[in-house]
Amino acid sequence: MKRHFYEDDHHAYRDTVREFLSREVEPHYERWESERLIDRSAWLAAGKSGILGLAVPEQYGGSDVVDYRFRCVAIEEVARSATTSFGSGINTQDDIVLPYITHLGTVEQKQRWLPGMAAGELIGAIAMTEPGTGSDLQGIKTTAVRSDDDWVLNGQKTFITNGIHSDVVIVVARTDPNAGSKGISLFVVERDMPGFSRGRKLHKVGLAGQDTAELVFEDVRVPAANLLGTEGAGFVHLMENLPLERMSIAVSAVASARASYEWTRDYVFERKAFGRPIGDFQNTRFALAEMLTEIEVTQSHVDRCVLALNAGELNAVDAAKAKWWASELQKRVIDTCVQLHGGYGFMMEYPIGRAFVDSRIQTIYGGTTEIMKEIIGRDIASQFA
């Protein structure tokens, strides 16, 4: 089925992204995976090549391109090149951190942070998850207490993407212990602020090259000018931005599933067993038919959600549907692809092996599958309240 989703400008941008990945990422990727850290020079190269900060307004150093289909192109090319660790860090910067600053930041904040982030000179992170608090954002214990013209921040965060490299960290903290969800605010903590330190660089099952860290805040004095958005409205701000984050995961999931299917389709018609290509066996053909059909059906839904996002019409419930379905599909497809590769599917030198370990987190971060179903279920139940 022909996919009527992209236009000429998107196809031209795909060539740019593909050439960038081939030149600046793929030759170094195995080393980054081994060292569990991507060189900062790759971020600078991404900034120069127009891969970063597309939606940042031109006056702050970006391209002012708000059509999310361009981000879809970049995500698909990362999946095709099996450089997911690099793409994951970029996704965090472009689809999570930058929108918060772009939408909530004051003019002074935008001038201070956006140009460097669009250029790859500043790397961003968002610190929500805590050691004892995962999906329950209302249960966070990190505190921010007002002290003259500053806020004093104390707490610990974990599983923070870009945690080691980060120069600008949006921290979710409790500013009123008695106000529940209305007592949460967002603060921007900058590298080298006294009391801000990095804990362990976490050793994950997959996404080896994408740095993930623990962050520690011990009496960090954050200027009042670094409050992002409205005091006490942090939970609302998070809810407003989660649909984009979840669409980023959904787009990544279906892109990874498609890339894995295509590697496997080619492999089974090259690899022979019992005197003929594996693809000539009925079981293999049925598996290919099932995967391709599920991918195309899911792609249609995700594409519609992207267009709704572009139009400002994507709601949290539809984003949750796309996120849980696409990420669970990704797991199913890649598991089947590993099986069809046989022993070679378990080798990290094959892209399907990387895709297998990298895919497991997709149903967990950005809100687990169970949380996505709860969001959808609550919406259904609300119609009968």
Side-chain angles (χ1 to χ4, degrees):
M1 179 183 294
K2 188 172 178 60
R3 187 180 174 201
H4 299 285
F5 183 64
Y6 292 121
E7 299 171 14
D8 290 345
D9 286 349
H10 303 109
H11 295 306
Y13 183 63
R14 187 179 299 278
D15 293 337
T16 297
V17 176
R18 186 171 294 188
E19 193 276 331
F20 164 78
L21 292 170
S22 176
R23 183 185 71 249
E24 301 288 350
V25 177
E26 293 177 43
H28 312 289
Y29 192 75
E30 187 173 342
R31 173 173 61 82
W32 295 340
E33 289 278 278
S34 176
E35 295 175 354
R36 294 193 293 123
L37 193 67
I38 290 166
D39 291 347
R40 287 188 71 107
S41 60
W43 287 81
L44 293 171
K48 288 181 180 178
S49 299
I51 309 300
L52 277 175
L54 285 179
V56 172
E58 288 184 4
Q59 64 264 41
Y60 300 117
S63 302
D64 205 15
V65 176
V66 294
D67 181 352
Y68 195 72
R69 287 178 293 178
F70 286 95
R71 285 286 301 125
C72 293
V73 167
I75 290 169
E76 289 170 1
E77 286 305 304
V78 163
R80 183 199 60 80
S81 62
T83 55
T84 319
S85 290
F86 173 77
S88 178
I90 299 297
N91 292 355
T92 297
Q93 179 104 322
D94 265 35
D95 296 339
I96 304 177
V97 182
L98 281 171
Y100 277 97
I101 298 174
T102 301
H103 297 151
L104 300 175
T106 64
V107 171
E108 187 275 334
Q109 288 173 337
K110 293 176 183 179
Q111 290 173 339
R112 184 149 44 116
W113 298 314
L114 290 181
M117 296 181 75
E121 297 166 358
L122 296 178
I123 296 175
I126 186 164
M128 293 190 236
T129 306
E130 298 181 357
T133 305
S135 297
D136 180 16
L137 292 177
Q138 296 189 53
I140 64 167
K141 293 182 171 56
T142 297
T143 60
V145 178
R146 190 64 185 256
S147 175
D148 297 325
D149 292 331
D150 298 331
W151 290 86
V152 179
L153 197 65
N154 281 282
Q156 185 176 355
K157 301 290 185 177
T158 193
F159 307 144
I160 307 306
T161 301
N162 296 341
I164 296 297
H165 274 328
S166 57
D167 306 289
V168 175
V169 184
I170 299 173
V171 181
V172 184
R174 187 167 293 284
T175 46
D176 186 341
N178 302 312
S181 64
K182 295 182 180 179
I184 294 173
S185 303
L186 307 181
F187 297 89
V188 178
V189 175
E190 299 173 78
R191 176 181 288 277
D192 298 329
M193 280 186 171
F196 170 38
S197 62
R198 328 268 165 166
R200 295 179 300 152
K201 180 171 68 172
L202 300 173
H203 196 171
K204 308 184 298 298
V205 171
L207 296 174
Q210 181 270 305
D211 65 298
T212 305
E214 297 171 329
L215 302 181
V216 180
F217 308 93
E218 298 175 302
D219 292 329
V220 181
R221 297 193 74 87
V222 182
N226 281 33
L227 173 71
L228 188 63
T230 304
E231 179 185 341
F235 190 77
V236 173
H237 295 326
L238 292 171
M239 294 304 103
E240 289 170 345
N241 282 274
L242 279 173
L244 173 56
E245 177 182 354
R246 287 167 180 163
M247 279 312 304
S248 176
I249 296 170
V251 171
S252 298
V254 72
S256 176
R258 184 178 291 279
S260 298
Y261 160 78
E262 290 177 352
W263 298 328
T264 304
R265 176 201 61 200
D266 295 347
Y267 177 83
V268 298
F269 286 104
E270 294 169 359
R271 178 78 172 172
K272 291 186 177 181
F274 305 103
R276 55 177 170 156
I278 297 171
D280 282 347
F281 290 96
Q282 186 183 60
N283 179 74
T284 303
R285 292 188 177 189
F286 278 13
L288 293 174
E290 290 167 3
M291 288 190 290
L292 180 59
T293 301
E294 285 197 307
I295 289 167
E296 289 189 347
V297 170
T298 303
Q299 186 76 73
S300 293
H301 177 71
V302 170
D303 286 353
R304 286 197 300 273
C305 287
V306 168
L307 295 177
L309 177 68
N310 278 350
E313 298 171 354
L314 181 69
N315 61 45
V317 174
D318 287 340
K321 292 173 185 175
K323 193 272 180 184
W324 89 258
W325 179 263
S327 60
E328 293 288 349
L329 168 76
Q330 178 186 11
K331 278 171 49 183
R332 291 197 308 275
V333 166
I334 293 177
D335 189 71
T336 300
C337 290
V338 169
Q339 188 72 20
L340 290 175
H341 274 78
Y344 291 105
F346 207 61
M347 299 294 107
M348 292 299 287
E349 63 195 76
Y350 276 69
I352 194 62
R354 284 189 206 160
F356 180 71
V357 294
D358 289 347
S359 67
R360 190 58 189 87
I361 189 61
Q362 290 277 86
T363 61
I364 298 173
Y365 63 8
T368 63
T369 293
E370 292 74 21
I371 291 295
M372 298 301 98
K373 291 179 180 180
E374 177 65 15
I375 290 169
I376 300 162
R378 284 180 185 176
D379 181 66
I380 295 170
S382 70
Q383 300 171 34
F384 298 91

